Amino acid sequence: SSNILAVCEVVVNEMKTFCGRANPTTGALDWVEQSEEYDYHQEIARSSYADMLHDRDRNVKYYQGIRAAVARVKARGEKVIVLDIGTGTGLLSMMAVTAGADFCYAVEVFKPMAEAARCIVKKNGFSEKIKIINKHSTDVTVGPDGDLETKANVLITELFDTELIGEGALPSYEHAHHNLVQEGCEAVPHRATVYAQLVDSALLWSWAQLQPLEVGGARLVPAPEVVRCAGAHSVCDIQLSQVSPRSFTPLGPACAMFSVDFSKPVSSSLQSHSSQFVSQADGRAQAVLSWWDLEMDPSGSVVCSMAPSWTYAAPETTPWRDHWMQSVYFLPEESRVAEGEELSLTVCHDDYSLWYSLTPRSPPEPQPLPSRPCCTCQAHLVWNRPRFGELNDQERTGSYVRALSSVLKEDSVCLSISDGSLLPVFAHMLGSKKVYSLEHSRTSRQVIEQLLEANSMKGAVDLLDVRPEQLTSNDLGEQQISVLIGEPYFSTSLLPWHSLFFWYCRTALASLLQPGAAILPCSATLQMVAVEFKDLWRIRAPCGTCEGFDVHMDEMIQRSLDFRESYEAEPHPLWEYPCRALTSSEAVMTFDFTQQLPQEPIVSQGSLPFTRTGCCHGVALWMEYHLTDDIAVSTGLIRPISEQGECQWTRHRKQGVYFLRTPWERSGDDRAAASYSFTFDPRSGDIKMDISVES
């Protein structure tokens, strides 16, 4: 759900279920009643089942591989017994039976999905030949009293994520080959190959390391602990097709790093693989771009590729999918390489994750396996990758510096409210008399303290571990706040307006503010534009049938995919998902931070007339913060919409997307508009919305 961060407790009272939720906007713990079907619908709605069901390339190639595998077993005169691990909707099992399999055991650990699969299998007439098993595959047994009567001779799986092995594919395959399938079984997919390419990219590296910043003519440098840190070990999964080749320099070819043959016993133990190549250019080795292919048959004639669009001769033919994307891995440290230099790129993997390292080719003596990267500076625990990019954005920093310079004076007492923010450091560098910052996280305080010490500013900012409503004048040395600042940025925010928590903090601090105190930002506006998505609409599109295979999905799946809590917006990084604006962008609600939080709801209604033809899938929503009367920063559009409707979105924040229940097609001179009604409730911090198209 859009406003859930933690489920603290569940109680049952008079047949009603309540969940304790940490509210990201108000900061309070809310108790919310949930329907009995809430978990079922929400968990399926959050999944990628709709995207997979609409992935024609995936479905067609799986079916081709399954038909070929079933045919090979039949050609040997054997009965075809299929084990389908991670069956989801039961689609691959139904493919197997349609292809002629005698019986299929379909394993699904997620109970709501297993129940849905039973209904779908029954609806399509496959109940007699498909048995749904609601277990983890490693708990499945074989024998007269087991889940399987006999071992399978065809193994079908869809256990993969963007990193290939991140969902535990290797342990599941390892167990299956030892316990559940016959030796020499057929496997679909038959083989997976992981590819990697070493690159130099200032854009990508800005997501991994804090860069020096120019602030009011002075230079702010990162702490040595951050510079030396190998960074976070988690993969950076993105739609790599939306990263322009102009933003990186390839230092080597795309290398096949390793392959896994799923028809043979698989090991989940720690392994490493290396690829040698000659550097194609001078540059800084910083990041590794990675993706993988699935070969559906032993001959490799049916391939499902995750390669980004810029690797295709005809990029427009690239299959789009969101359930599988591409990955960026950051090297433990950047290093200079020269054109023509012989290099060795090494990938290591355990049972769940991959990591990369770079060495000169043929080192003089055997090298130990590179250890998994681990953050030692704490900064990579405080700031996620988009946040690193935001902090490194010099244009954005310039806006804050100009705004701060216009309100700060020599006698200013400044208080900052944001998580892990550099604004209090900027305020000190720009001459504020005294700077305080509310930092509830000990880790955040440690990171900011390291930065201050690295720049000879130790003690320049008082980092206070106190909630805004608990702050007293004693904490401020009996001084009043003359300048209250925030980006605003809070690590608990999911949707753009969750950062209105700043307004709640400002209200709680009202008694500590000097009369006429400067508030930065002074206001915010909720912005809206109606859009046509190139591909993102697929994740919420109706899926009564499956593309590439003629079966019907059960109504429960469709209801779940349509389900929203109060039918709200959901967060998406729109720079990864191209869209066209069909209307102008407009401020649809204003929040005045110079005033305290109102007691009554703020209501805004209106409409945006369509100015371009196209299919309206929904609207994009974001916040624009007005630091001063003439300086603003956007968490959404960063450039004006082009004449053709092209949109440029910030890479630093997610935007809100409200999908229409039924897409609306505008053509010709239709006089239509996107009608909206927004209500901000200060008691709950929610923005309730109703958006439709009116002709």
Side-chain angles (χ1 to χ4, degrees):
S1 135
S2 63
N3 67 344
I4 296 179
L5 291 180
V7 177
C8 302
E9 186 177 353
V10 177
V11 297
V12 177
N13 179 24
E14 297 180 353
M15 301 305 291
K16 294 180 180 179
T17 302
F18 295 85
C19 292
R21 301 174 173 183
N23 189 309
T25 310
T26 67
L29 178 66
D30 297 338
W31 289 97
V32 182
E33 181 183 346
Q34 301 293 3
S35 70
E36 292 181 3
E37 291 186 319
Y38 170 80
D39 286 341
Y40 177 94
H41 288 298
Q42 280 288 24
E43 292 307 316
I44 294 179
R46 288 196 202 107
S47 69
S48 296
Y49 289 111
D51 177 29
M52 289 187 284
L53 295 173
H54 285 289
D55 188 346
R56 182 178 182 86
D57 179 74
R58 164 194 178 271
N59 298 337
V60 167
K61 288 174 179 175
Y62 255 103
Y63 191 33
Q64 290 174 344
I66 289 170
R67 283 189 304 179
V70 169
R72 289 193 296 273
V73 175
K74 283 186 171 294
R76 299 197 293 263
E78 301 175 19
K79 278 191 172 183
V80 180
I81 307 299
V82 173
L83 174 63
D84 174 11
I85 300 178
T87 194
T89 62
L91 175 62
L92 302 185
S93 291
M94 291 186 287
M95 287 182 178
V97 173
T98 301
D102 294 282
F103 199 81
C104 184
Y105 297 98
V107 180
E108 175 56 52
V109 68
F110 180 35
K111 184 176 180 179
M113 202 67 244
E115 292 300 320
R118 285 192 182 96
C119 294
I120 294 169
V121 165
K122 181 178 180 181
K123 180 175 183 175
N124 287 277
F126 292 104
S127 294
E128 292 185 2
K129 288 195 173 185
I130 298 176
K131 177 183 178 182
I132 305 295
I133 302 170
N134 179 208
K135 287 185 176 181
H136 194 284
S137 66
T138 56
D139 295 326
V140 171
T141 58
V142 179
D145 298 322
D147 303 297
L148 279 63
E149 291 184 7
T150 183
K151 287 187 175 183
N153 51 16
V154 176
L155 175 60
I156 300 173
T157 59
E158 209 285 51
L159 299 170
F160 315 112
D161 67 350
T162 293
E163 203 171 13
L164 182 67
I165 64 173
E167 291 186 0
L170 295 181
S172 296
Y173 272 113
E174 189 173 41
H175 176 269
H177 275 288
H178 281 122
N179 301 280
L180 306 178
V181 298
Q182 300 174 18
E183 184 178 353
C185 72
E186 299 289 342
V188 182
H190 180 81
R191 182 185 297 106
T193 302
V194 173
Y195 296 88
Q197 185 170 35
L198 180 69
V199 300
D200 173 334
S201 174
L203 168 65
L204 299 180
W205 194 242
S206 72
W207 300 346
Q209 285 287 356
L210 188 64
Q211 307 297 319
L213 294 170
E214 297 297 326
V215 180
R219 187 175 175 83
L220 185 70
V221 299
E225 296 90 339
V226 178
V227 176
R228 293 193 299 263
C229 182
H233 69 269
S234 58
V235 65
C236 177
D237 53 340
I238 62 172
Q239 291 283 358
L240 205 51
S241 294
Q242 300 309 314
V243 177
S244 169
R246 294 190 299 273
S247 64
F248 61 86
T249 301
L251 300 179
C255 304
M257 298 303 299
F258 68 94
S259 295
V260 182
D261 186 337
F262 298 126
S263 69
K264 299 177 181 178
V266 170
S267 173
S268 62
S269 62
L270 178 65
Q271 297 182 37
S272 69
H273 311 270
S274 296
S275 182
Q276 285 75 40
F277 58 90
V278 174
S279 176
Q280 298 175 345
D282 294 337
R284 298 166 300 170
Q286 296 170 323
V288 176
L289 312 182
S290 184
W291 59 90
W292 44 267
D293 288 348
L294 291 178
E295 296 176 22
M296 296 299 182
D297 63 329
S299 68
S301 60
V302 180
V303 178
C304 187
S305 176
M306 302 320 121
S309 62
W310 37 259
T311 66
Y312 282 69
E316 66 277 4
T317 64
T318 310
W320 184 87
R321 42 190 144 240
D322 203 45
H323 52 103
W324 296 329
M325 293 187 282
Q326 298 81 37
S327 304
V328 177
Y329 297 88
F330 299 100
L331 295 177
E333 59 180 355
E334 65 175 343
S335 58
R336 284 279 179 185
V337 300
E339 183 177 359
E341 183 178 353
E342 295 184 342
L343 300 172
S344 179
L345 184 65
T346 298
V347 61
C348 294
H349 70 79
D350 53 20
D351 47 353
Y352 282 92
S353 59
L354 285 71
W355 59 96
Y356 285 83
S357 63
L358 183 70
T359 59
R361 183 187 285 187
S362 303
E365 55 188 40
Q367 301 291 305
L369 285 180
S371 58
R372 176 205 287 263
C374 178
C375 177
T376 57
C377 71
Q378 310 304 312
H380 298 90
L381 305 180
V382 172
W383 300 322
N384 60 23
R385 292 186 175 98
R387 180 62 171 160
F388 267 100
E390 187 168 52
L391 295 175
N392 286 322
D393 186 335
Q394 193 68 54
E395 182 178 343
R396 172 186 169 279
T397 295
S399 295
Y400 279 102
V401 169
R402 290 195 306 276
L404 283 169
S405 298
S406 71
V407 299
L408 290 175
K409 301 176 182 177
E410 290 184 359
D411 61 348
S412 292
V413 177
C414 185
L415 176 66
S416 173
I417 305 173
S418 284
D419 288 351
S421 176
L422 302 184
L423 286 194
V425 183
F426 296 171
H428 168 74
M429 296 175 71
L430 294 170
S432 182
K433 172 187 172 183
K434 188 63 182 177
V435 182
Y436 298 92
S437 179
L438 298 188
E439 287 286 357
H440 302 143
S441 163
R442 182 180 66 179
T443 307
S444 290
R445 293 197 301 275
Q446 178 181 329
V447 169
I448 301 301
E449 286 168 354
Q450 288 175 349
L451 181 70
L452 292 168
E453 187 169 354
N455 289 274
S456 302
M457 301 180 196
K458 188 174 182 180
V461 177
D462 282 6
L463 304 172
L464 305 177
D465 178 16
V466 60
R467 293 182 59 83
E469 66 272 16
Q470 298 171 334
L471 190 69
T472 66
S473 59
N474 185 56
D475 297 311
L476 304 174
E478 305 302 329
Q479 302 176 98
Q480 283 195 305
I481 302 162
S482 59
V483 180
L484 181 67
I485 62 175
E487 301 188 38
Y489 171 84
F490 302 100
S491 59
T492 53
S493 298
L494 295 177
L495 286 160
W497 44 91
H498 287 169
S499 290
L500 288 174
F501 180 56
F502 177 80
W503 205 3
Y504 290 80
C505 296
R506 176 260 183 269
T507 301
L509 295 166
S511 63
L512 298 177
L513 298 177
Q514 286 183 9
I519 311 293
L520 189 157
C522 58
S523 66
T525 52
L526 177 64
Q527 306 283 137
M528 167 181 153
V529 63
V531 296
E532 174 185 49
F533 285 110
K534 181 182 178 183
D535 294 299
L536 187 63
W537 61 270
R538 300 172 191 273
I539 70 171
R540 293 291 173 260
C543 49
T545 59
C546 172
E547 290 194 27
F549 187 72
D550 187 20
V551 296
H552 296 278
M553 296 295 107
D554 187 76
E555 287 84 355
M556 286 194 298
I557 294 293
Q558 191 57 50
R559 268 196 304 140
S560 298
L561 295 170
D562 284 343
F563 182 79
R564 309 281 194 285
E565 184 186 11
S566 303
Y567 205 72
E568 295 181 345
E570 52 192 75
H572 292 284
L574 291 186
W575 74 270
E576 296 185 55
Y577 305 104
C579 61
R580 285 179 60 247
L582 301 182
T583 67
S584 61
S585 64
E586 185 172 303
V588 295
M589 187 171 279
T590 299
F591 311 94
D592 186 357
F593 299 150
T594 65
Q595 305 298 314
Q596 294 189 50
L597 195 71
Q599 296 297 310
E600 299 299 321
I602 300 174
V603 179
S604 177
Q605 296 177 333
S607 61
L608 292 180
F610 285 93
T611 57
R612 299 177 184 87
T613 59
C615 183
C616 181
H617 297 111
V619 302
L621 301 157
W622 68 98
M623 297 290 283
E624 190 167 288
Y625 293 103
H626 303 273
L627 306 182
T628 63
D629 291 339
D630 58 349
I631 302 174
V633 292
S634 174
T635 66
L637 286 175
I638 55 174
R639 298 288 183 270
I641 298 169
S642 74
E643 288 188 16
Q644 294 74 33
E646 294 176 354
C647 301
Q648 292 188 46
W649 302 97
T650 178
R651 293 186 177 96
H652 310 323
R653 304 277 183 109
K654 292 182 179 181
Q655 291 72 46
V657 177
Y658 183 105
F659 288 99
L660 298 178
R661 290 185 182 274
T662 303
W664 185 83
E665 187 80 31
R666 190 222 180 204
S667 59
D669 296 325
D670 296 337
R671 293 184 178 181
S675 177
Y676 62 83
S677 175
F678 293 96
T679 301
F680 170 69
D681 185 349
R683 292 169 299 177
S684 66
D686 290 338
I687 295 182
K688 301 298 182 185
M689 55 191 70
D690 183 20
I691 301 170
S692 60
V693 175
E694 294 183 354
S695 299

